[in-house]
Amino acid sequence: MNPRPTDATERPVQKAASGGPPPLLPLPTSASTSTSAPRESAGRTRQVELRDLNAFYGSHHAVKDVNLSFAPRDVTAIIGPSGCGKSTMVRCINRMHEEIDGARAEGQVLVDGTDLYGAGVDVVAVRRAVGMVFQKPNPFPTMSIRDNVAAGLRFTGAPRGEIDERVIGALKGASLWDEVKDRLDQPGAGLSGGQQQRLCIARALAVEPEVLLMDEPCSALDPVATLKIEELIGELKERVTIVIVTHNMQQAARVADTTVFMLGGELVEVGATHKLFTTPEDERTEQYVTGKFG
Amino acid sequence: MEAATQPMSTGGRPQLGRSPASRLPDQILRLGLTAIAVAVLALLAYFFVKLAIESRLVFEEEGILGFVFANNWNVAASIYGALPLVVGTLITSALALLFGVPVAVAVAVFLTELCPKRVRGSLTIVVDLLAAVPSVVYGLWAFYFLIPKLKPVEQWFADTFHFLPFVAIDSVPGPNYFIAGLVLAIMLLPIVCAISREVLATVPADLKEASLGLGLTRWEMIRTSMLPYARRGIVGASMLGLGRAIGETIAVTIVIGDSPILGHSIFGQGYTLAAVIANEFNEAAANPLHKSALIAAGLVLFVLTLLVNSIARLAVMRSERQSGRPISAGGGV
């Protein structure tokens, strides 16, 4: 409802580009550019903006008219009670939502001005640019640790010689390298839950996305593993724009710069995390963060 | 068990005990099911022993190895060498798997992953209906329709690729190994497809999302997430299909050519164990050695099926051990 005012002033480019044709830094929309573009943009984070986003499961209206923007080098947490549409909204950002039978989304998701739902945008390219980590660690069960991380690279046509190097880079990026460097050829499914989730983060990082979506990434993990992931998020935000869905308000408070509160598919309040948790503007937000419902 | 011996004496809590009468149905169920399971195994063992006893005559005559590995089956000369039959069975079954399994898995993938929801149900039923066609009908269709249509194609293939092993042949006969393999492929398609479909449907959504979320295309997702997960079940399905192919009798008898000497080309005429039994059981009644030879052929068929099945299972187990944790997708036969 109320995108943070700072965004408009900090990034006038976005405003200018908003109505017009796809601007200068489009997502890789064709196969030929998709292989090289993520490398060039390594380390560059992206501005993500949702405009009038609506999402449906059949006739169920799960996300209602959401307008929101995520700033680069920022971690944005989405909180709200179960079923409030937070996961659905995030899944719209890399167009995973439409994978579910009968699900559809309307509106715009702009990444540096390019509408991911626009004509000529390839969904595969979108997902390479906007990576995702899921609730339950889901490494490929038949693959070794190395192959898991390399899975995305192999298919994006990364040069053979570079793959090893980038696998190592991604594992280091996900703070997993020291734990697995001696057993890269062992199955990824043999790792602990927390390690598996970091393996999934490494797998997502390997294709060098510009935005990383995390859908309750710690909900299946113990506190120690959770802490490691949270530390990792702090490191990663220098490289990618991070959006994290969490049902854990303490987690949002620990990792996020900005927090978004959703309720019943609607966006209720957006604000700096500290402010949202201490002096929320909306009564419903206050009730939620003080544990009166949800 | 202790509760059964002193059911009512648990210190004022009689409701924790159970009268022997109320336990009876459970025991009957357990015993009954155990008995049925044992009966199945006993039946299998009985068949094996019975076949072995009845085929003793021919084994004494030819020797076990002589029977299995001699390349001539000549009833008139009382020569019983089953090699052409064994190899014929293996060739036709292998061809059937080669042609049938990829198509069946492709159809299964299409039905589970790509097919529009509206037509999925009806299409599934149509594929399943292939199994309802009697095998003799497949044989007839192949004999009167498939053979004349395919003969020029086979001849062209045999001439063009004559340098490949087991392809060259001067003149392609109508009925041959290839046609038999093709017919068997159609026949094993529905069962392999049905089981593969069930197994593919069990691939967890989060595993598919792992691929899609990584920016893999649908085909890459199928290759990376679905097929490896379903591999064990697909192999199981193929084994069931193979069982059908190895044992199939009538359709093969019609299109195999009944040549009792091993051919040197997949387009040559041949024979299979099942086909020889179907063709000759009638005339063998009066000839004890012939009868015993046919029963021995049945025994070899039996052992062959067990052997192929075990090898396939071993292969799956080994590949699973290499890839770490066993992929439990069910469907292992």
Side-chain angles (χ1 to χ4, degrees), chain B residues 264-283:
Chain B
H264 51 79
S265 163
I266 56 161
F267 297 115
Q269 295 191 319
Y271 224 156
T272 67
L273 289 160
V276 87
I277 298 173
N279 265 340
E280 298 179 2
F281 77 96
N282 214 359
E283 54 184 281

Side-chain angles (χ1 to χ4, degrees), chain A residues 91 94 96 99 101 124 127-128 130-132 134 136-143 148 151-152 155 187 189 203-204 207, chain B residues 113 117 120 204 206-218 220 223-225 228-229 231 322-325 327:
Chain A
R91 287 168 61 93
N94 70 344
M96 284 299 284
E99 288 300 328
D101 269 341
V124 167
R127 293 177 189 151
R128 281 176 195 164
V130 185
M132 187 154 194
F134 298 87
K136 201 178 123 205
N138 55 358
F140 297 118
T142 52
M143 289 187 192
N148 257 289
F155 287 112
R203 182 176 65 188
V207 291
Chain B
E113 197 54 37
K117 232 180 170 183
R120 186 179 296 167
D206 68 338
L207 202 55
K208 295 198 236 175
E209 290 188 336
S211 290
L212 293 175
L214 211 52
L216 303 194
T217 62
R218 193 142 303 260
E220 288 161 355
R223 243 177 77 191
T224 314
S225 288
Y229 186 89
R231 182 181 52 193
Q322 278 165 0
S323 72
R325 99 171 183 207
I327 313 306

